[in-house]
Amino acid sequence: MSMASCDILRRSRHLERVESVTAETTVRHVDQLDTETLDAFYRALTADRPVSEADVDLEPGEVIVFTDYYRVART
Amino acid sequence: MTQYVIIGDGISGSSAAETLREEDPDAKITVITDEGEPLYNRILIKEHAKGKLPEAPISIHEEEWYEERDIELSLDTHVTSVDTDENVVHTHDSGDIPYDKLLVATGGTPTQLPVDNSDADGIHHFWTFQDARGIRESAEAADNAVVVGAGLLGIDFAAVCGAQGVDGKYLMRGDRWWRYALSGEGAEIMHEGMRDVGVEPVFDSGVDHFETDDDGAVTAAVDPNGDRYDCDFAGVAIGLTFNTEFLRGAGLEQDNGILVDEYMQTNVDDIYAAGDITRFYDVLLGEQAQNGSWGSAKEQGRVAAVNMAADAEEEEFQWVSSYSITHFDFPFLSFGHPTLGDEHAERKYSDTEWRRVAFKDGKIVGGVLIGDLSPQSKFKQLMRNQRVVADQAEVLLEKQVDLDNLAPEQEQ
Ligand SMILES: Cc1cc2nc3c(=O)[nH]c(=O)nc-3n(C[C@H](O)[C@H](O)[C@H](O)COP(=O)(O)OP(=O)(O)OC[C@H]3O[C@@H](n4cnc5c(N)ncnc54)[C@H](O)[C@@H]3O)c2cc1C
């Protein structure tokens, strides 16, 4: 794998479904995402593939409330 | 030094305070709220009521947030009137507060059903974090629920019942949920979602009166047909009454909300309004409109603050709002003004997928997506660009929307 694609992978995000959240977790409702971030979030979910950090305003560790709760993770 | 006063510490008031501090570092800024806690995430309190989310992640600002920005926060302070000649805000028991520029960001309060016993114990309305705490406690102990109000807030009550294992009856006036935006086909998907969580929609119904026990607790709802529904929990969400009582005599133009232009200015000098309470001039729609959504309220607060600080018409509010329902296995997103417009196109794709696009003068003004949100950003883009596309609705109803399939735009 080239350095460039390594870099992209390192700087991408994927989503993990979680059952519950702790008091310390940062949580946002999906309606707090801007249109582009919502688009990327939805693509990540439906295509089950990571999205590039550059495209989205999603912080690793935060949980997004959608049809389930999804934790944003570094890929 | 300019003195700014903001009434309301919801997302619109709070976002205005933050922006004012950025734009005017030396100003005096006061935020007044009649709630007992600083800004919290109103669109997550339903998750707390469902029993899924602890309190802490719902809080957005601690009191320190205001101190750090040298913003004076006045909690538990109810504004009783505004003297627009003297530029003073009067409060219930915290004295008078003078202003150079005032922002009204007071939102609304859920409307009570005008029927007997509508204030009985066990009957809930849903707006504040305190409401959510009460709803959670009451729903945890309940066996049977009745929900009234076939709109975006009523469905949150249905979801609370589902999540808390309470058998629910959702009494609706017409033949479907949110009949102003959905056809029968679209609504039926939502009805199935309700049934899946244990809440049965009941059509051509509503509430004629509630029955109570000797202690004043609700025991049943009786609908206009005389049908009786046992309940020890009821959720009422029939609409909002805007919090404008304190503006009586202030001379602000109102029309079920405070009238503002695209700069968030009212008709009275130095008074602005933002958030749910406004009936604003929507530059995309070309007429006055209302939004009842988080993102729009936040942006209106920001835009109002920019114009207040500039003391000029610096930036106009231009926004496509979004409102999601996340309670079911399938997603739901309403955008723009799906109940307005002069024509619409819609299609059902499967038992959980449906789409409607509303047009005015050929341009998209809103829509509803159920089950498949993939076209949302494309539709919002067309709406922002005010492109005439109603004559090409087929392209918009394709399962995979490809904007390249639209005919090239004609030069105006
Ligand atoms: C249960 C629920 C679920 C929702 N779900 C969603 C959703 O999923 N997506 C979405 O986009 N939107 C949702 N909304 C709508 C969204 O929360 C609102 O549009 C938004 O919060 C409005 O913000 P605001 O600042 O205009 O008003 P508010 O948040 O209502 O703030 C107004 C504040 O002013 C205070 N106030 C009023 N009168 C006075 C007075 N005289 N003196 C002092 N203070 C006063 C009030 O107490 C309140 O704190 C939901 C709302 C509720 C209640």
Side-chain angles (χ1 to χ4, degrees):
Chain A
M1 190 183 286
S2 73
M3 276 304 281
S5 56
C6 260
D7 235 32
I8 288 168
L9 264 187
R10 191 149 42 80
R11 287 203 240 101
S12 63
R13 307 270 184 265
H14 71 273
L15 302 167
E16 297 168 351
R17 198 159 73 83
V18 291
E19 289 301 327
S20 60
V21 302
T22 62
E24 296 73 39
T25 314
T26 300
V27 182
R28 281 196 293 170
H29 187 273
V30 71
D31 285 347
Q32 292 175 264
L33 308 183
D34 61 48
T35 301
E36 290 68 38
T37 303
L38 172 59
D39 223 26
F41 172 86
Y42 188 68
R43 263 185 287 117
L45 210 61
T46 47
D48 196 17
R49 60 180 166 79
V51 291
S52 148
E53 177 195 73
D55 295 344
V56 294
D57 158 37
L58 293 171
E59 287 300 318
E62 73 170 327
V63 166
I64 306 295
V65 173
F66 191 53
T67 47
D68 278 300
Y69 287 13
Y70 292 95
R71 173 172 292 120
V72 178
R74 272 202 184 87
T75 300
Chain B
M1 181 173 67
T2 310
Q3 183 147 340
Y4 298 102
V5 172
I6 298 169
I7 312 175
D9 188 35
I11 186 61
S12 61
S14 217
S15 119
E18 184 169 13
T19 308
L20 279 172
R21 177 50 76 225
E22 286 162 10
E23 300 282 319
D24 194 345
D26 301 324
K28 180 166 168 47
I29 303 171
T30 305
V31 177
I32 308 170
T33 172
D34 58 8
E35 291 195 62
E37 50 204 325
L39 179 69
Y40 54 83
N41 195 327
R42 202 177 294 291
I43 67 178
L44 281 181
I45 56 178
K46 51 190 148 191
E47 297 301 307
H48 183 69
K50 281 160 78 176
K52 291 185 71 180
L53 202 57
E55 291 207 6
I58 295 172
S59 158
I60 295 182
H61 290 161
E62 302 292 330
E63 290 186 44
E64 293 76 53
W65 184 91
Y66 303 82
E67 283 161 23
E68 284 159 13
R69 287 162 183 77
D70 194 19
I71 295 170
E72 196 162 317
L73 173 68
S74 202
L75 295 173
D76 290 314
T77 304
H78 186 72
V79 171
T80 49
S81 62
V82 176
D83 183 334
T84 51
D85 293 327
E86 298 294 326
N87 282 22
V88 172
V89 165
H90 299 290
T91 67
H92 175 56
D93 57 7
S94 304
D96 298 340
I97 304 169
Y99 67 84
D100 297 310
K101 288 192 188 296
L102 176 69
L103 179 70
V104 180
T106 47
T109 302
T111 310
Q112 206 168 312
L113 266 174
V115 303
D116 283 351
N117 297 324
S118 64
D119 57 354
D121 284 350
I123 300 180
H124 295 271
H125 300 86
F126 204 173
W127 197 259
T128 67
F129 207 163
Q130 263 318 89
D131 295 339
R133 294 177 181 114
I135 290 166
R136 178 179 179 144
E137 200 180 301
S138 189
E140 276 169 0
D143 296 317
N144 295 295
V146 157
V147 177
V148 196
L152 294 168
L153 288 179
I155 208 163
D156 287 346
F157 271 120
V160 169
C161 296
Q164 296 281 10
V166 186
D167 279 343
K169 294 277 188 278
Y170 196 161
L171 310 185
M172 308 185 192
R173 271 225 294 236
D175 64 351
R176 60 188 185 273
W177 182 77
W178 207 19
R179 59 195 153 131
Y180 306 106
L182 305 185
S183 64
E185 276 189 330
E188 187 49 27
I189 297 177
M190 302 307 284
H191 301 157
E192 270 308 303
M194 294 165 202
R195 292 182 190 111
D196 281 349
V197 300
V199 174
E200 187 58 37
V202 180
F203 306 112
D204 300 315
S205 175
V207 174
D208 179 75
H209 63 276
F210 288 104
E211 292 178 357
T212 59
D213 62 17
D214 293 342
D215 298 325
V218 67
T219 53
V222 179
D223 82 0
N225 311 312
D227 293 328
R228 191 176 175 282
Y229 299 93
D230 282 337
C231 63
D232 47 1
F233 175 100
V236 175
I238 56 164
L240 275 189
T241 305
F242 294 110
N243 297 319
T244 55
E245 209 170 294
F246 65 96
L247 291 170
R248 213 180 301 117
L252 263 70
E253 258 186 85
Q254 296 181 34
D255 174 14
N256 189 30
I258 298 175
L259 286 177
V260 292
D261 61 15
E262 60 272 44
Y263 305 101
M264 303 291 118
Q265 303 176 109
T266 69
N267 62 310
V268 174
D269 278 352
D270 298 322
I271 303 190
Y272 295 70
D276 281 7
I277 199 157
T278 64
R279 183 174 285 278
F280 62 97
Y281 182 76
D282 188 325
V283 292
L284 296 177
L285 194 62
E287 58 183 278
Q288 300 290 138
Q290 263 170 326
N291 286 342
S293 64
W294 181 267
S296 167
K298 185 175 182 190
E299 178 69 0
Q300 287 197 0
R302 190 191 68 75
V303 169
V306 165
N307 294 319
M308 289 166 81
D311 195 22
E313 294 178 349
E314 182 88 357
E315 186 176 335
E316 62 177 31
F317 173 72
Q318 197 199 96
W319 189 257
V320 179
S321 74
S322 265
Y323 195 115
S324 304
I325 292 169
T326 59
H327 302 305
F328 306 129
D329 291 341
F330 53 85
F332 169 107
L333 183 133
S334 136
F335 66 94
H337 305 285
T339 60
L340 302 183
D342 44 34
E343 59 181 314
H344 71 267
E346 63 173 66
R347 184 167 296 166
K348 182 179 175 184
Y349 302 86
S350 73
D351 286 348
T352 56
E353 290 171 306
W354 181 86
R355 186 182 301 169
R356 166 186 280 214
V357 188
F359 306 97
K360 182 187 169 204
D361 301 330
K363 302 166 193 163
I364 299 180
V365 291
V368 176
L369 305 173
I370 302 178
D372 175 12
L373 307 190
S374 59
Q376 65 94 21
S377 62
K378 293 169 188 155
F379 290 168
K380 288 178 185 167
Q381 184 193 327
L382 291 172
M383 192 169 153
R384 274 189 289 265
N385 295 346
Q386 299 197 274
R387 194 155 159 195
V388 174
V389 287
D391 54 347
Q392 301 179 72
E394 267 309 307
V395 177
L396 308 178
L397 293 179
E398 287 290 320
K399 179 90 177 75
Q400 301 294 333
V401 177
D402 183 349
L403 297 187
D404 289 340
N405 291 340
L406 289 171
E409 267 185 290
Q410 301 293 314
E411 287 293 324
Q412 297 288 318

Short mmCIF file of all heavy atoms in Angstrom, two decimals, chain A residues 21-23 25 27-32 35-36 38-39 42 65-69, chain B residues 41 43 47 52-53 56-57 294 323-324 326 328 331 371-374 376-377 380:
data_model
loop_
_atom_site.label_atom_id
_atom_site.label_comp_id
_atom_site.label_asym_id
_atom_site.label_seq_id
_atom_site.Cartn_x
_atom_site.Cartn_y
_atom_site.Cartn_z
N VAL A 21 -24.91 4.53 25.85
CA VAL A 21 -23.81 5.48 25.98
C VAL A 21 -23.61 5.83 27.45
O VAL A 21 -24.54 5.78 28.24
CB VAL A 21 -24.05 6.78 25.17
CG1 VAL A 21 -24.25 6.50 23.71
CG2 VAL A 21 -25.21 7.57 25.73
N THR A 22 -22.38 6.20 27.78
CA THR A 22 -22.09 6.59 29.16
C THR A 22 -22.32 8.10 29.31
O THR A 22 -22.46 8.82 28.33
CB THR A 22 -20.61 6.31 29.49
OG1 THR A 22 -19.81 7.11 28.61
CG2 THR A 22 -20.28 4.85 29.32
N ALA A 23 -22.31 8.55 30.56
CA ALA A 23 -22.55 9.96 30.84
C ALA A 23 -21.48 10.86 30.22
O ALA A 23 -21.75 12.01 29.91
CB ALA A 23 -22.61 10.18 32.35
N THR A 25 -20.01 10.53 27.30
CA THR A 25 -19.97 10.53 25.84
C THR A 25 -20.55 11.83 25.26
O THR A 25 -21.54 12.35 25.78
CB THR A 25 -20.81 9.35 25.29
OG1 THR A 25 -20.48 8.19 26.03
CG2 THR A 25 -20.56 9.11 23.82
N VAL A 27 -22.75 13.34 22.53
CA VAL A 27 -23.83 12.78 21.70
C VAL A 27 -24.45 13.90 20.86
O VAL A 27 -24.70 15.00 21.37
CB VAL A 27 -24.93 12.14 22.58
CG1 VAL A 27 -26.03 11.52 21.71
CG2 VAL A 27 -24.35 11.09 23.51
N ARG A 28 -24.67 13.63 19.58
CA ARG A 28 -25.40 14.58 18.73
C ARG A 28 -26.53 13.86 18.03
O ARG A 28 -26.44 12.67 17.71
CB ARG A 28 -24.46 15.20 17.67
CG ARG A 28 -23.60 16.32 18.25
CD ARG A 28 -23.00 17.17 17.15
NE ARG A 28 -22.01 16.44 16.36
CZ ARG A 28 -21.51 16.90 15.23
NH1 ARG A 28 -21.91 18.05 14.72
NH2 ARG A 28 -20.60 16.19 14.57
N HIS A 29 -27.58 14.61 17.78
CA HIS A 29 -28.71 14.10 17.00
C HIS A 29 -28.34 14.30 15.52
O HIS A 29 -27.64 15.26 15.18
CB HIS A 29 -29.95 14.91 17.36
CG HIS A 29 -31.21 14.40 16.76
ND1 HIS A 29 -31.62 14.78 15.50
CD2 HIS A 29 -32.16 13.56 17.22
CE1 HIS A 29 -32.78 14.19 15.22
NE2 HIS A 29 -33.13 13.45 16.26
N VAL A 30 -28.83 13.44 14.68
CA VAL A 30 -28.49 13.52 13.25
C VAL A 30 -28.89 14.87 12.65
O VAL A 30 -28.24 15.36 11.72
CB VAL A 30 -29.11 12.31 12.50
CG1 VAL A 30 -30.63 12.47 12.41
CG2 VAL A 30 -28.50 12.10 11.14
N ASP A 31 -29.91 15.53 13.21
CA ASP A 31 -30.32 16.84 12.68
C ASP A 31 -29.33 17.95 13.02
O ASP A 31 -29.49 19.07 12.56
CB ASP A 31 -31.71 17.23 13.20
CG ASP A 31 -32.81 16.46 12.51
OD1 ASP A 31 -32.53 15.83 11.47
OD2 ASP A 31 -33.96 16.47 13.00
N GLN A 32 -28.31 17.63 13.79
CA GLN A 32 -27.26 18.63 14.05
C GLN A 32 -26.15 18.57 13.01
O GLN A 32 -25.26 19.42 13.03
CB GLN A 32 -26.68 18.43 15.45
CG GLN A 32 -27.67 18.75 16.56
CD GLN A 32 -27.11 18.43 17.93
OE1 GLN A 32 -27.37 17.37 18.48
NE2 GLN A 32 -26.33 19.34 18.48
N THR A 35 -25.63 19.40 5.88
CA THR A 35 -26.10 18.58 4.76
C THR A 35 -25.02 17.63 4.24
O THR A 35 -25.27 16.45 3.99
CB THR A 35 -26.58 19.50 3.61
OG1 THR A 35 -27.63 20.32 4.12
CG2 THR A 35 -27.10 18.71 2.43
N GLU A 36 -23.79 18.14 4.09
CA GLU A 36 -22.70 17.32 3.53
C GLU A 36 -22.30 16.21 4.51
O GLU A 36 -22.05 15.07 4.10
CB GLU A 36 -21.48 18.18 3.20
CG GLU A 36 -21.70 19.13 2.01
CD GLU A 36 -22.70 20.23 2.28
OE1 GLU A 36 -22.71 20.75 3.42
OE2 GLU A 36 -23.49 20.55 1.37
N LEU A 38 -24.21 14.91 6.79
CA LEU A 38 -25.30 13.94 6.81
C LEU A 38 -25.17 13.00 5.60
O LEU A 38 -25.35 11.78 5.73
CB LEU A 38 -26.66 14.66 6.79
CG LEU A 38 -27.89 13.77 6.60
CD1 LEU A 38 -27.99 12.73 7.71
CD2 LEU A 38 -29.17 14.62 6.57
N ASP A 39 -24.84 13.56 4.48
CA ASP A 39 -24.67 12.76 3.27
C ASP A 39 -23.57 11.71 3.47
O ASP A 39 -23.76 10.53 3.17
CB ASP A 39 -24.24 13.70 2.13
CG ASP A 39 -24.97 13.41 0.86
OD1 ASP A 39 -26.09 12.86 0.94
OD2 ASP A 39 -24.42 13.70 -0.22
N TYR A 42 -24.60 9.08 6.02
CA TYR A 42 -25.58 8.14 5.47
C TYR A 42 -24.92 7.17 4.50
O TYR A 42 -25.22 5.97 4.50
CB TYR A 42 -26.70 8.92 4.79
CG TYR A 42 -27.85 8.05 4.36
CD1 TYR A 42 -28.66 7.44 5.31
CD2 TYR A 42 -28.11 7.81 3.01
CE1 TYR A 42 -29.69 6.61 4.93
CE2 TYR A 42 -29.16 6.99 2.62
CZ TYR A 42 -29.94 6.40 3.59
OH TYR A 42 -30.97 5.58 3.21
N VAL A 65 -27.09 10.04 17.08
CA VAL A 65 -28.39 9.39 17.23
C VAL A 65 -29.09 9.40 15.88
O VAL A 65 -29.44 10.45 15.34
CB VAL A 65 -29.25 10.12 18.28
CG1 VAL A 65 -30.66 9.53 18.31
CG2 VAL A 65 -28.60 10.02 19.66
N PHE A 66 -29.25 8.20 15.33
CA PHE A 66 -29.98 8.03 14.07
C PHE A 66 -30.99 6.92 14.34
O PHE A 66 -31.51 6.84 15.45
CB PHE A 66 -28.95 7.68 12.96
CG PHE A 66 -29.51 7.72 11.56
CD1 PHE A 66 -30.18 8.84 11.08
CD2 PHE A 66 -29.34 6.64 10.71
CE1 PHE A 66 -30.69 8.87 9.79
CE2 PHE A 66 -29.84 6.67 9.42
CZ PHE A 66 -30.52 7.78 8.96
N THR A 67 -31.25 6.05 13.39
CA THR A 67 -32.21 4.97 13.66
C THR A 67 -31.67 4.01 14.71
O THR A 67 -32.42 3.23 15.31
CB THR A 67 -32.53 4.19 12.36
OG1 THR A 67 -31.27 3.89 11.72
CG2 THR A 67 -33.36 5.02 11.41
N ASP A 68 -30.38 4.02 14.93
CA ASP A 68 -29.70 3.42 16.08
C ASP A 68 -28.70 4.45 16.57
O ASP A 68 -28.58 5.53 15.98
CB ASP A 68 -28.97 2.13 15.67
CG ASP A 68 -29.92 0.94 15.62
OD1 ASP A 68 -30.51 0.63 16.67
OD2 ASP A 68 -30.07 0.34 14.54
N TYR A 69 -27.95 4.10 17.61
CA TYR A 69 -26.87 4.99 18.07
C TYR A 69 -25.58 4.50 17.40
O TYR A 69 -25.26 3.31 17.44
CB TYR A 69 -26.70 4.91 19.59
CG TYR A 69 -27.80 5.58 20.39
CD1 TYR A 69 -29.00 5.98 19.82
CD2 TYR A 69 -27.62 5.83 21.76
CE1 TYR A 69 -29.98 6.60 20.57
CE2 TYR A 69 -28.60 6.44 22.52
CZ TYR A 69 -29.78 6.82 21.92
OH TYR A 69 -30.77 7.43 22.67
N ASN B 41 -29.68 20.22 24.95
CA ASN B 41 -30.02 19.75 23.62
C ASN B 41 -31.49 19.32 23.56
O ASN B 41 -31.82 18.17 23.86
CB ASN B 41 -29.10 18.59 23.24
CG ASN B 41 -29.14 18.31 21.76
OD1 ASN B 41 -30.19 18.49 21.14
ND2 ASN B 41 -28.04 17.90 21.20
N ILE B 43 -33.33 18.60 21.20
CA ILE B 43 -33.72 17.52 20.26
C ILE B 43 -33.22 16.15 20.72
O ILE B 43 -33.49 15.15 20.07
CB ILE B 43 -33.34 17.83 18.80
CG1 ILE B 43 -31.84 17.87 18.56
CG2 ILE B 43 -33.95 19.14 18.36
CD1 ILE B 43 -31.51 18.13 17.08
N GLU B 47 -34.78 11.20 23.75
CA GLU B 47 -34.00 9.98 24.00
C GLU B 47 -33.91 9.72 25.50
O GLU B 47 -33.86 8.57 25.94
CB GLU B 47 -32.61 10.10 23.37
CG GLU B 47 -32.63 10.23 21.86
CD GLU B 47 -33.29 9.04 21.17
OE1 GLU B 47 -32.90 7.90 21.44
OE2 GLU B 47 -34.23 9.27 20.37
N LYS B 52 -33.23 5.92 27.10
CA LYS B 52 -32.03 5.44 26.40
C LYS B 52 -30.79 6.30 26.68
O LYS B 52 -29.67 5.82 26.50
CB LYS B 52 -32.29 5.44 24.88
CG LYS B 52 -33.30 4.37 24.47
CD LYS B 52 -33.46 4.31 22.97
CE LYS B 52 -32.25 3.71 22.27
NZ LYS B 52 -32.43 3.66 20.81
N LEU B 53 -30.99 7.54 27.04
CA LEU B 53 -29.84 8.45 27.15
C LEU B 53 -29.80 9.07 28.55
O LEU B 53 -30.81 9.59 29.02
CB LEU B 53 -30.01 9.56 26.10
CG LEU B 53 -28.78 10.33 25.65
CD1 LEU B 53 -27.71 9.39 25.09
CD2 LEU B 53 -29.18 11.36 24.59
N ALA B 56 -26.44 13.62 31.33
CA ALA B 56 -25.23 14.43 31.09
C ALA B 56 -24.99 14.78 29.62
O ALA B 56 -24.71 15.95 29.32
CB ALA B 56 -24.03 13.73 31.70
N PRO B 57 -25.07 13.85 28.69
CA PRO B 57 -24.76 14.22 27.30
C PRO B 57 -25.77 15.20 26.69
O PRO B 57 -25.53 15.73 25.60
CB PRO B 57 -24.81 12.88 26.55
CG PRO B 57 -24.73 11.83 27.58
CD PRO B 57 -25.35 12.41 28.81
N TRP B 294 -34.15 22.67 14.83
CA TRP B 294 -32.94 23.02 15.58
C TRP B 294 -31.94 23.79 14.71
O TRP B 294 -31.45 24.86 15.10
CB TRP B 294 -32.31 21.72 16.09
CG TRP B 294 -31.08 21.89 16.89
CD1 TRP B 294 -29.79 21.86 16.45
CD2 TRP B 294 -31.01 22.13 18.31
NE1 TRP B 294 -28.92 22.05 17.49
CE2 TRP B 294 -29.64 22.22 18.64
CE3 TRP B 294 -31.97 22.28 19.32
CZ2 TRP B 294 -29.21 22.44 19.95
CZ3 TRP B 294 -31.53 22.49 20.61
CH2 TRP B 294 -30.17 22.57 20.91
N TYR B 323 -35.61 17.98 9.31
CA TYR B 323 -36.17 17.44 10.55
C TYR B 323 -36.30 15.93 10.36
O TYR B 323 -36.97 15.47 9.44
CB TYR B 323 -37.54 18.07 10.80
CG TYR B 323 -38.09 17.90 12.18
CD1 TYR B 323 -38.28 19.00 13.01
CD2 TYR B 323 -38.44 16.64 12.69
CE1 TYR B 323 -38.79 18.85 14.30
CE2 TYR B 323 -38.94 16.49 13.96
CZ TYR B 323 -39.13 17.59 14.76
OH TYR B 323 -39.64 17.45 16.03
N SER B 324 -35.64 15.18 11.23
CA SER B 324 -35.63 13.72 11.09
C SER B 324 -36.47 13.03 12.15
O SER B 324 -36.63 13.56 13.24
CB SER B 324 -34.20 13.18 11.26
OG SER B 324 -33.34 13.79 10.37
N THR B 326 -36.14 9.37 13.98
CA THR B 326 -35.14 8.30 14.04
C THR B 326 -35.63 7.13 14.89
O THR B 326 -34.83 6.31 15.31
CB THR B 326 -33.84 8.86 14.67
OG1 THR B 326 -34.16 9.35 15.98
CG2 THR B 326 -33.26 9.99 13.85
N PHE B 328 -37.69 4.59 14.23
CA PHE B 328 -38.06 3.31 13.63
C PHE B 328 -36.85 2.68 12.93
O PHE B 328 -35.77 3.28 12.90
CB PHE B 328 -39.22 3.51 12.65
CG PHE B 328 -40.41 4.20 13.28
CD1 PHE B 328 -40.99 5.31 12.69
CD2 PHE B 328 -40.93 3.74 14.48
CE1 PHE B 328 -42.08 5.96 13.28
CE2 PHE B 328 -42.01 4.37 15.08
CZ PHE B 328 -42.59 5.49 14.48
N PRO B 331 -35.21 5.33 8.24
CA PRO B 331 -35.10 6.76 8.52
C PRO B 331 -36.22 7.58 7.86
O PRO B 331 -36.86 7.11 6.91
CB PRO B 331 -33.75 7.14 7.90
CG PRO B 331 -33.56 6.17 6.79
CD PRO B 331 -34.26 4.89 7.19
N GLY B 371 -37.25 6.15 4.37
CA GLY B 371 -36.54 4.90 4.06
C GLY B 371 -35.23 5.09 3.33
O GLY B 371 -34.28 4.35 3.57
N ASP B 372 -35.15 6.04 2.44
CA ASP B 372 -33.93 6.25 1.65
C ASP B 372 -33.61 7.75 1.63
O ASP B 372 -34.31 8.51 0.97
CB ASP B 372 -34.15 5.72 0.23
CG ASP B 372 -32.96 6.00 -0.68
OD1 ASP B 372 -31.88 6.40 -0.18
OD2 ASP B 372 -33.12 5.82 -1.91
N LEU B 373 -32.56 8.12 2.33
CA LEU B 373 -32.22 9.55 2.41
C LEU B 373 -31.21 9.97 1.35
O LEU B 373 -30.78 11.12 1.33
CB LEU B 373 -31.64 9.89 3.80
CG LEU B 373 -32.44 9.49 5.04
CD1 LEU B 373 -31.82 10.14 6.28
CD2 LEU B 373 -33.90 9.87 4.91
N SER B 374 -30.83 9.06 0.47
CA SER B 374 -29.71 9.35 -0.42
C SER B 374 -29.88 10.62 -1.26
O SER B 374 -28.89 11.30 -1.51
CB SER B 374 -29.37 8.14 -1.29
OG SER B 374 -30.48 7.78 -2.08
N GLN B 376 -31.12 13.49 -0.39
CA GLN B 376 -31.39 14.72 0.38
C GLN B 376 -30.50 15.89 -0.01
O GLN B 376 -30.98 17.01 -0.18
CB GLN B 376 -31.37 14.45 1.89
CG GLN B 376 -30.04 14.03 2.50
CD GLN B 376 -29.19 15.16 3.08
OE1 GLN B 376 -29.70 16.22 3.39
NE2 GLN B 376 -27.89 14.93 3.18
N SER B 377 -29.21 15.65 -0.16
CA SER B 377 -28.33 16.80 -0.43
C SER B 377 -28.57 17.33 -1.84
O SER B 377 -28.47 18.53 -2.09
CB SER B 377 -26.86 16.43 -0.22
OG SER B 377 -26.49 15.43 -1.12
N LYS B 380 -31.74 19.45 -1.69
CA LYS B 380 -31.48 20.73 -0.99
C LYS B 380 -30.67 21.66 -1.89
O LYS B 380 -30.89 22.87 -1.91
CB LYS B 380 -30.75 20.48 0.33
CG LYS B 380 -31.63 19.84 1.40
CD LYS B 380 -30.80 19.59 2.65
CE LYS B 380 -31.58 18.85 3.71
NZ LYS B 380 -30.70 18.35 4.79
#
